[in-house]
Amino acid sequence: MGLVVYWYDFICFGIVLAAIVASLWFLLRRERGCVDVEDTTHNSFLQSRSGSESLGSARLRTSCWRGLHPGWLLFTRSISFLSMAALLAWDVLEWDASIFVYYTEWTFMLVMIYFAMGIVASLYGCLENYKEPTSGVCDDAVGNKVGDGEFRERLGVYGCFMETIFQTSAGAVVLTDVVFWLVIVPFLSNTHLGLNTLMICMHTANAGFLILDTLLNSLPFPWFRMGYFVIWSCLYVVFQWIIHACGLLTWWPYPFLELDRPWAPLWYLGMAVVHIPCYGVYAAIVTAKNSCFPYLFPNAFLVTIEMASHERPSTTGRVRALLPQTLDLAGAIHLVELEHGELHLLVLVLDLLRLSV
């Protein structure tokens, strides 16, 4: 055993275990079938309202900037993936495969996986964009040709997985850069790696490319998905404990993960708490992007209406009555049923002057 366990280390173990259990419990309560809620429900509702394609799959490949060709997303995602692959290859050639003991490399790989999945989704979007417009042809029709709902189900699983990786990597990127630039560089000296051009590029490219993609994509960023981000970090910590317990590593990549210090529980508690603002920073970026739409596009406005169907049926009916007048075929409506009968109607209104609530 290469790891000496002290009594206060059990507090660290408890903090990580509690974070994992709490995240799993919260995710199990909120997910409740990602594919069914985000794809199937929306598909049937959209089909009945406007006959447009499924937003659950379209948002993977389309931009939030109205009229922007899917090829731009394909271009930026391809450049981001190739650039990050080159940086990672440089890093491995410089330090060999042992570099993957760092959280930075874990996050770097996760972001690359997201971009790889995004490239596939964007390629599909470009193919769909060049298809001849045919009445009644949508994702549901394609799904029926492939094999009833099998195509839709696979597309929904792919989209859910891609969104989860995006949301997890977003929080992890912020955490990586915050720890590196605000903790390691100013206060901690690392004898194994020194500050060099490669490290600066890696800790800039990961956030820069992901933020660029965020400014273009249409992916949501719900708060409850922070649970995946927390679990991702906890898996890295458990990985560090295992390799140290097996004697495969005699030094700690990050000094604040060391277990042989009496103040280790404080470090672990602090790192657990800092996940909230790290995820919140990226959520603020997404919110700011969405809030800018009324100013960037005078004819496009995002309206969020939250109501309880059993408490305000008249308001629900009034909104439904307005939709045919304010929503054209390029618009989108999300209908998500939550726990206490609440309805969240997200309406992309394409003619702001005709909207009167």
Side-chain angles (χ1 to χ4, degrees):
M1 293 289 291
L3 183 64
V4 179
V5 179
Y6 301 91
W7 66 268
Y8 44 80
D9 292 338
F10 289 98
I11 302 178
C12 301
F13 301 154
I15 292 174
V16 174
L17 179 61
I20 294 176
V21 172
S23 299
L24 289 175
W25 176 79
F26 194 66
L27 288 170
L28 289 174
R29 289 186 68 250
R30 296 301 303 272
E31 281 288 5
R32 295 196 309 152
C34 171
V35 176
D36 292 337
V37 173
E38 295 183 355
D39 191 60
T40 306
T41 305
H42 294 165
N43 285 352
S44 59
F45 185 72
L46 282 171
Q47 187 179 13
S48 63
R49 298 296 295 180
S50 63
S52 61
E53 66 176 352
S54 164
L55 187 63
S57 61
R59 65 185 175 195
L60 304 177
R61 60 185 186 265
T62 57
S63 173
C64 59
W65 298 65
R66 184 188 176 200
L68 189 67
H69 194 278
W72 285 104
L73 260 181
L74 175 62
F75 174 76
T76 56
R77 286 170 173 174
S78 300
I79 294 298
S80 300
F81 177 81
L82 293 176
S83 301
M84 295 185 70
L87 287 174
L88 186 61
W90 181 11
D91 202 19
V92 173
L93 291 175
E94 185 79 16
W95 301 101
D96 67 51
S98 63
I99 197 68
F100 285 97
V101 299
Y102 285 92
Y103 186 79
T104 298
E105 267 61 34
W106 282 45
T107 301
F108 215 78
M109 284 294 300
L110 191 66
V111 177
M112 288 180 60
I113 293 173
Y114 163 70
F115 281 128
M117 298 186 70
I119 290 172
V120 175
S122 296
L123 280 172
Y124 176 70
C126 291
L127 293 176
E128 289 291 305
N129 189 71
Y130 283 112
K131 282 183 178 179
E132 291 287 336
T134 307
S135 60
V137 176
C138 61
D139 279 345
D140 290 331
V142 176
N144 291 332
K145 292 180 181 179
V146 174
D148 297 327
E150 183 179 357
F151 177 79
R152 180 195 297 179
E153 182 179 355
R154 291 182 178 179
L155 195 62
V157 172
Y158 185 89
C160 185
F161 191 49
M162 180 177 167
E163 288 180 12
T164 301
I165 293 179
F166 166 68
Q167 292 141 5
T168 303
S169 59
V173 161
V174 176
L175 177 62
T176 298
D177 287 3
V178 166
V179 170
F180 179 77
W181 292 110
L182 301 183
V183 178
I184 293 180
V185 173
F187 302 109
L188 301 177
S189 60
N190 196 320
T191 58
H192 298 275
L193 294 177
L195 184 63
N196 52 47
T197 304
L198 176 58
M199 294 183 66
I200 294 175
C201 289
M202 293 192 68
H203 287 87
T204 304
N206 58 0
F209 287 133
L210 196 62
I211 291 176
L212 175 62
D213 186 84
T214 302
L215 295 177
L216 296 177
N217 68 37
S218 302
L219 299 180
F221 204 81
W223 264 96
F224 75 89
R225 290 269 174 85
M226 186 181 71
Y228 292 111
F229 167 39
V230 174
I231 293 176
W232 174 257
S233 299
C234 290
L235 289 177
Y236 173 78
V237 173
V238 173
F239 166 76
Q240 287 295 324
W241 291 346
I242 293 175
I243 62 176
H244 279 82
C246 296
L248 300 177
L249 200 64
T250 58
W251 53 276
W252 291 86
Y254 301 100
F256 45 79
L257 292 181
E258 296 181 8
L259 292 172
D260 57 350
R261 307 294 176 86
W263 53 82
L266 295 178
W267 274 110
Y268 275 79
L269 181 61
M271 291 304 300
V273 173
V274 83
H275 279 67
I276 300 176
C278 285
Y279 195 85
V281 165
Y282 215 93
I285 294 175
V286 177
T287 302
K289 178 195 72 171
N290 294 334
S291 300
C292 288
F293 274 113
Y295 305 99
L296 295 174
F297 306 101
N299 294 326
F301 187 63
L302 185 65
V303 181
T304 304
I305 304 172
E306 182 175 348
M307 66 191 73
S309 59
H310 61 281
E311 294 178 356
R312 301 176 63 183
S314 59
T315 307
T316 305
R318 185 180 179 187
V319 172
R320 290 183 181 274
L322 287 172
L323 290 181
Q325 304 173 8
T326 60
L327 191 70
D328 62 16
L329 294 180
I333 308 171
H334 295 237
L335 180 60
V336 182
E337 295 185 3
L338 299 182
E339 287 187 358
H340 302 292
E342 294 179 347
L343 296 179
H344 285 217
L345 290 177
L346 299 179
V347 183
L348 182 59
V349 180
L350 302 176
D351 189 355
L352 181 60
L353 298 179
R354 299 175 62 185
L355 175 65
S356 59
V357 178

